[in-house]
Amino acid sequence: MLGLPSPAGLAAVAVGAGLAALLVAWVLGSLVRRFGRDGPVARDLAHRARRPLRVTMVLAAVQGVLTSQGSGRAVEVVTRVLGLALIGAVAWLVAALAFVLEDLALRRYDVDVEDNRKARRVRTQVGLLRRLTVVVLTVLAVSAMLLTFPSARAAGASVLASAGVVGIVAGLAAQTSLANVIAGLQLAFTDAIRVDDVVVVENEWGRIEEITLTYVVLHVWDDRRLILPSTYFTTTPFQNWTRTEAAVLGEVTFEVDWAVPVAAVRTRLHEVLEASDLWDGRVGVLQVTDAVGSFVTLRVLVSGRDGPTVFDLRCEVREALVGWLQSEHPQALPRMRYEQAAPAPRSNPDRPATSPRPVAGQPEPDASDDARMFTGSLQAVERSRVFTGPDSQPVERVQPDDPPRSD
């Protein structure tokens, strides 16, 4: 019966086993690349699984050698560490294989085509499944690592018994995060929004750039990024311009003078649309939508294959019609009209025509009597006595027609 190898011999055997496993992994990778040279799946598999396969095989070989031929406290510690690393490497390899399968599904749907609604939906769902796969594999790997410790296995019963309470506490603490995760899954599988959809959110126009489990990234038209929680799209109304198709309508509004030749403007509009490569030929309409005050309102409706195209088409139509009106029909440009009324006849400066005749024995009211409360008339003086008392004597008002008094 052969005895156990020395520590140096055990280390040499472990290194040799690791090198042999590395060689085997390299040969397998070479074979996959060689026989799958013309296949995108084989190339993707060789690219993604090369490193995790080598690490997994090396760790498995070294751990097998130490477990079968080694003994002692040091070997036990090294074996435990290698076991934990092997669990992580296996999870890495499984994730790489899952990514290869997801990439295979994505290759069947090309988004660089005109009608890519289904492809964008699949890409959104696969992207969320990829992130969910990483989360699940990470949780499983960590759980498997913990179960390798005897103390963790002994505490398993108590952990399972308190799982309900822990779940309730965790749910209350992470209510917002869990709501975003559920909302992200809902967005992915209910087809409410997809990657590359054109939406209007918070008065911002842009494309959906990324959908994660907890938030959505909106690429705004001016290259800004608007980050919104997933729950926003499940609780707040928003505009999706590419929900069923990419083609949309655009509006151009003009306020012109009443002298505008509407029929000529409509003819010019059709000429501009026929000469434009942005118009898809579906809608090209000019209507008089209002005629109030000094202006006549013209509304132009045009159509294009998608939102950005319609925006450029609106600008092109607006510029062409403005230039045409300036050069061909300047009388149709908007202008303000006003009329100056004739001046009112002047009244008698000495006495207004509507002033009442003075009563004998009473002072003649002047122009400011109606604005006075306690002076200027007999009624005002009587009112002032209510506040000043009956003993107060009103100041006598001198009338301009009274003769001067003599001493």
Side-chain angles (χ1 to χ4, degrees):
M1 182 176 179
L2 297 176
L4 296 176
S6 62
L10 184 60
V13 174
V15 171
L19 292 177
L22 184 62
L23 179 61
V24 172
W26 179 81
V27 172
L28 289 177
S30 300
L31 292 176
V32 171
R33 287 192 299 270
R34 180 176 180 179
F35 291 102
R37 184 178 304 171
D38 298 331
V41 178
R43 290 198 303 267
D44 193 14
L45 180 62
H47 174 70
R48 289 186 178 275
R50 179 182 58 192
R51 292 181 179 178
L53 178 63
R54 293 177 180 178
V55 173
T56 301
M57 294 187 66
V58 170
L59 291 175
V62 174
Q63 188 187 28
V65 170
L66 294 179
T67 303
S68 61
Q69 301 184 14
S71 63
R73 181 62 179 174
V75 174
E76 182 180 354
V77 172
V78 173
T79 304
R80 177 62 57 82
V81 174
L82 290 177
L84 297 177
L86 182 59
I87 294 174
V90 171
W92 185 13
L93 180 60
V94 174
L97 296 178
F99 287 175
V100 171
L101 296 178
E102 293 168 356
D103 291 340
L104 177 62
L106 291 178
R107 287 192 184 93
R108 300 178 55 187
Y109 301 95
D110 187 10
V111 296
D112 296 330
V113 295
E114 185 173 353
D115 188 10
N116 59 357
R117 184 170 62 90
K118 186 176 181 180
R120 289 186 284 110
R121 180 182 61 187
V122 173
R123 185 172 293 272
T124 301
Q125 296 174 354
V126 170
L128 285 177
L129 286 177
R130 176 172 296 182
R131 291 179 174 85
L132 188 60
T133 301
V134 173
V135 172
V136 172
L137 289 177
T138 302
V139 172
L140 292 178
V142 173
S143 302
M145 291 178 183
L146 293 177
L147 290 177
T148 58
F149 296 94
S151 58
R153 289 197 299 266
S158 60
V159 171
L160 291 176
S162 60
V165 179
V166 173
I168 295 175
V169 174
L172 294 176
Q175 184 177 3
T176 303
S177 300
L178 291 177
N180 283 320
V181 171
I182 296 174
L185 295 175
Q186 181 180 351
L187 292 177
F189 293 97
T190 58
D191 210 18
I193 57 174
R194 301 169 295 267
V195 174
D196 207 37
D197 267 348
V198 178
V199 297
V200 178
V201 178
E202 298 290 332
N203 295 325
E204 297 285 357
W205 177 89
R207 291 182 179 272
I208 299 296
E209 184 177 62
E210 185 180 6
I211 301 177
T212 68
L213 288 175
T214 56
Y215 63 89
V216 177
V217 180
L218 178 66
H219 185 181
V220 188
W221 64 273
D222 56 359
D223 284 339
R224 290 178 293 127
R225 265 62 175 184
L226 186 62
I227 312 298
L228 296 167
S230 299
T231 53
Y232 178 89
F233 293 92
T234 59
T235 58
T236 307
F238 64 94
Q239 300 181 34
N240 190 340
W241 289 10
T242 54
R243 176 67 175 80
T244 56
E245 60 178 354
V248 292
L249 299 181
E251 180 184 28
V252 182
T253 304
F254 296 93
E255 287 188 345
V256 293
D257 192 76
W258 285 73
V260 60
V262 179
V265 177
R266 185 175 289 113
T267 302
R268 178 57 183 168
L269 170 65
H270 289 295
E271 294 175 354
V272 172
L273 293 178
E274 292 293 341
S276 176
D277 57 350
L278 304 177
W279 187 49
D280 62 358
R282 292 190 302 118
V283 179
V285 179
L286 184 143
Q287 295 174 313
V288 179
T289 57
D290 206 353
V292 178
S294 301
F295 304 107
V296 172
T297 303
L298 303 182
R299 187 186 70 172
V300 176
L301 290 180
V302 294
S303 61
R305 60 178 178 269
D306 52 31
T309 302
V310 170
F311 179 82
D312 292 337
L313 180 60
R314 290 168 55 200
C315 296
E316 181 178 327
V317 169
R318 187 183 295 110
E319 181 178 352
L321 292 183
V322 168
W324 180 77
L325 288 175
Q326 290 175 344
S327 60
E328 300 295 333
H329 297 279
Q331 75 279 2
L333 298 179
R335 63 192 65 182
M336 296 293 296
R337 294 181 174 88
Y338 70 95
E339 181 179 358
Q340 185 175 3
R346 296 183 61 184
S347 59
N348 188 352
D350 296 333
R351 185 185 300 276
T354 58
S355 60
R357 297 183 64 182
V359 181
Q362 294 184 359
E364 180 181 359
D366 56 11
S368 61
D369 284 348
D370 293 339
R372 298 178 180 179
M373 181 173 292
F374 299 107
T375 59
S377 64
L378 293 179
Q379 293 84 355
V381 172
E382 293 295 333
R383 188 182 300 113
S384 67
R385 290 180 179 177
V386 177
F387 296 94
T388 59
D391 295 336
S392 61
Q393 298 296 328
V395 179
E396 183 179 1
R397 185 179 179 186
V398 179
Q399 301 295 330
D401 295 336
D402 294 341
R405 297 181 179 181
S406 58
D407 296 333

